[in-house]
Amino acid sequence: MGSNMRHVAILILLFAVSACIPQGRDDYAPAPIRPQLLTDPVVLGTAPEQAPLSTWQASPVTANAQQVDAGTYIVQPGDTLRGIANKTGAGSQIIASANGLSEPYIIHPGQRLKITGGRYHAVNSGETGIAIARAYGAPWRDVVALNALEEPYILRVGQKLLLPATADLANLSVEQRAAAFSLDIDDIVTGSQPALADRATAKEQSAWRKAITPNATIATPNNFSGRFQWPVDGAVISSFGSKGGGKVNDGLNIGVAKDTPIRASADGVVAYSGDEIGVFGGLILINHGSGWVTAYGHADKLNVVRGAKVKAGDIIGLAGESGYVEEPQLHFEIRKDRKPVDPNSHLPKRS
């Protein structure tokens, strides 16, 4: 009987772990190992009182969205699109989109504009998209789609974001909103930049090891050619694409020895360096501009910080088995306009 009970307990544990493995990955084991972060006091040789804040903690968001009724607004003499947005409570970008307006958003007296109803959050200084999503228990990717946000995904103070109707804003407690919050690579790419004031400009990239605080907005590169190099030299142990059973690999998993240097695949700026997406363990995201982003997961050590400007070939970390894998490897992705693409199509052919 005792042996049977142990078998049952093991099966229950395995089922619980497998239920936590998201679709889209096929290479995870149930024993995550945390990486050694560059921001770790042991690495820096310092002992700060508090660890660096996450992108959704740097500037807390109060869920104070206002309900706007759907309707029609008749343009008055002297009106501007922003002024109409302020009068109605709707977002100017949503109004423009709903009425087929494009820059420079010319309107004329007597024109009838459709006002899209819903709940709108007014962006405050320093808030990030991720933080706003977390405050409402709404998927950030849904907010991006609903508001047709585009690269470089920098919010502006006073901008009004239409929230998904599926978000049960009235009945969720702070704890429930936090529990409903999840994070993936696309969320970080599109939602980790703090909001800027209207005429403010993003901060230029930093020196290689100089950290930029989470509440600073970072300028992204321009005019990237789309040429990449291999981040490590090793055998591909899991290729790009469908693996059956609803599992998809969004990149390549490359088997390497522990502590193998991970090199930047192209010039760019570090958009993220941390371990807040558990399945990937130590994760680095590099924004190359023109919609191109590379991801490097399962690192045991992260050698770069957010905002660092890197060159192709720079060592950005050391490979390992952090996250949900059972042998040292690098998970490598190339994304274009938020969508994963097959790295083999963009990397040099290997003999």
Side-chain angles (χ1 to χ4, degrees):
M1 177 65 73
S3 175
N4 288 339
M5 290 300 293
R6 281 195 299 273
H7 290 160
V8 170
I10 291 172
L11 287 173
I12 291 173
L13 177 59
L14 289 174
F15 177 79
V17 170
S18 65
C20 296
I21 299 175
Q23 288 190 351
R25 310 292 307 150
D26 69 332
D27 56 344
Y28 297 114
I33 301 172
R34 293 180 67 86
Q36 186 181 36
L37 305 178
L38 183 67
T39 49
D40 190 318
V42 175
V43 181
L44 290 177
T46 61
E49 293 182 2
Q50 293 182 334
L53 294 173
S54 301
T55 50
W56 53 88
Q57 296 173 324
S59 184
V61 176
T62 301
N64 55 5
Q66 299 296 312
Q67 179 68 41
V68 172
D69 294 330
T72 301
Y73 180 88
I74 300 176
V75 178
Q76 304 298 309
D79 271 345
T80 63
L81 190 62
R82 176 166 295 184
I84 294 170
N86 291 334
K87 288 179 183 179
T88 62
S92 56
Q93 290 173 310
I94 294 292
I95 296 174
S97 177
N99 293 276
L101 303 177
S102 57
E103 292 187 274
Y105 304 122
I106 297 174
I107 54 178
H108 54 82
Q111 185 175 356
R112 301 173 69 86
L113 297 178
K114 176 184 176 182
I115 303 301
T116 302
R119 293 182 67 86
Y120 287 84
H121 173 83
V123 178
N124 291 309
S125 178
E127 292 181 350
T128 66
I130 297 174
I132 293 168
R134 187 175 191 270
Y136 292 99
W140 170 243
R141 64 193 68 85
D142 291 353
V143 180
V144 171
L146 194 58
N147 291 272
L149 301 181
E150 297 178 346
E151 192 185 19
Y153 308 107
I154 295 175
L155 303 177
R156 291 285 172 173
V157 175
Q159 181 178 352
K160 295 181 179 65
L161 292 176
L162 180 61
L163 300 169
T166 54
D168 189 0
L169 309 179
N171 298 323
L172 285 180
S173 67
V174 173
E175 292 77 14
Q176 287 172 322
R177 289 170 184 158
F181 177 72
S182 63
L183 187 67
D184 63 20
I185 288 176
D186 186 57
D187 291 334
I188 295 175
V189 170
T190 60
S192 63
Q193 290 273 49
L196 279 176
D198 256 353
R199 300 183 185 278
T201 57
K203 187 173 181 178
E204 286 303 311
Q205 304 90 349
S206 73
W208 186 61
R209 286 185 181 273
K210 183 179 178 183
I212 292 182
T213 58
N215 57 5
T217 308
I218 303 166
T220 55
N222 295 314
N223 304 320
F224 178 62
S225 65
R227 294 179 179 272
F228 297 94
Q229 65 181 39
W230 287 86
V232 293
D233 185 14
V236 173
I237 57 178
S238 180
S239 58
F240 177 87
S242 174
K243 303 300 170 184
K247 294 181 179 179
V248 178
N249 192 346
D250 288 336
L252 302 176
N253 286 68
I254 307 168
V256 291
K258 182 178 171 62
D259 293 333
T260 296
I262 303 168
R263 299 182 182 274
S265 187
D267 297 357
V269 178
V270 177
Y272 177 81
S273 180
D275 64 347
E276 292 158 311
I277 303 180
V279 293
F280 292 110
L283 175 68
I284 298 164
L285 303 179
I286 299 179
N287 190 330
H288 306 282
S290 302
W292 293 98
V293 172
T294 50
Y296 312 76
H298 305 312
D300 270 358
K301 184 177 179 182
L302 308 176
N303 286 357
V304 289
V305 292
R306 176 180 180 266
K309 188 175 183 179
V310 296
K311 293 289 187 182
D314 283 350
I315 296 175
I316 57 176
L318 300 180
E321 52 186 313
S322 65
Y324 296 106
V325 290
E326 55 187 358
E327 61 180 305
Q329 60 190 271
L330 174 71
H331 175 72
F332 176 66
E333 293 186 17
I334 297 178
R335 292 176 174 239
K336 173 62 170 146
D337 297 329
R338 300 174 55 197
K339 296 180 180 180
V341 297
D342 187 351
N344 285 305
S345 300
H346 300 275
L347 292 169
K349 301 298 182 184
R350 299 197 296 189
S351 56

